[in-house]
Amino acid sequence: IWVGVLTWRQSSMGATDHVSAIVLGRCLTYTRNMHPELRNQDCKKILNTFTSAFVSKDPCNITKEDYQPLIDLVTQTVPCNKTLFWSRSKELAHQYSGIQKEMFTLEDTLLGYIADNLVWCGDPRTSEVKEEFCPYRNENCSSTATSVFWTVVSQKFAESACGTVYVMLNGSGTTAFSKASTFGSVEVFNLHPDRVHTLHAWVMHDIGGVERDSCLGSSIKELKSIVNQRNISFFCQDDYRPARFVQCVRHPEHPSCSVLM
Ligand code: AVW
């Protein structure tokens, strides 16, 4: 049934070729190889539930409810104190969680893993995954299949977090914290204060790059105030050493990478 979905072509608008095959393959890799404790998950069913959320629908008006069956189907618990959010720091966050294997970014969970970096959508005129292209998200097309997916899974990821949670932020961009980001608009507001007692922020700076923002900057003050208002404690650390050492792999000679620093 899903063979028809395999005919995606790379397009100027950036739809991913072979989304269904990739999703199925990643699901099998994750549940059979990386996390055998999830080996009972039915990857074909996960794929069908995933595609049902958006096929035959207007690619600009996907709703959170469209993805609810997928969210209900795939339940995975991340251990307390092991959740790592990120904003503008995806690559480093993934490198860090790839080494510190007990930490989970969203993309280290099954739902995040199957969709990482893919672009997909449907078309009301067919029951197949759309070929050629997917519309970009903009003011006339605010709820794309891809963007709504990340909002929904991010919300669920934050809701189920517990203990101390962590966020890796980028101090080399304009602002380390942005209220417009998924972290700032979805995840922060879906932490449950009865389960999450502390948010720990790591503001990382590119080695040899500019330091535009830091724990002392106004964007982090804003984050602290939002978090404290929600009765969650807040701590911030610039250039958290274990993550800095990951950056040091590419810059071993930099002074900040010396053990004496
Ligand atoms: P951003 P956000 N693959 O760097 O705080 C493709 O400003 O907004 O960080 N696209 C993705 C993925 C992914 N794996 N993840 C998010 N996106 C989209 C999820 C999404 O629309 C994680 F748990 C997002 O707004 C992080 O804690 C944008 O790409 C948090 O959300 C990345 O923008 C990162 O989102």
Side-chain angles (χ1 to χ4, degrees), residues 96 99-100 202 204 237 239-247:
Y96 176 73
I99 292 166
Q100 186 57 42
W202 302 328
M204 303 303 299
Q237 235 175 311
D239 295 318
Y240 175 62
R241 291 285 279 170
R244 163 63 49 154
F245 288 139
V246 175
Q247 297 174 303

Side-chain angles (χ1 to χ4, degrees), residues 114-134:
I114 61 174
D116 192 17
N117 288 334
L118 306 182
V119 178
W120 64 88
C121 63
D123 184 326
R125 295 166 298 187
T126 78
S127 60
E128 296 180 353
V129 178
K130 192 163 160 60
E131 296 174 35
E132 310 290 330
F133 72 91
C134 289

Side-chain angles (χ1 to χ4, degrees), residues 86-88 90 106-107 116-117 150 154 181-183 187:
W86 52 266
S87 202
R88 319 259 150 94
K90 186 181 179 196
L106 176 57
E107 296 74 26
D116 192 17
N117 288 334
W150 288 114
S154 300
S181 67
T182 304
F183 173 69
E187 291 172 330

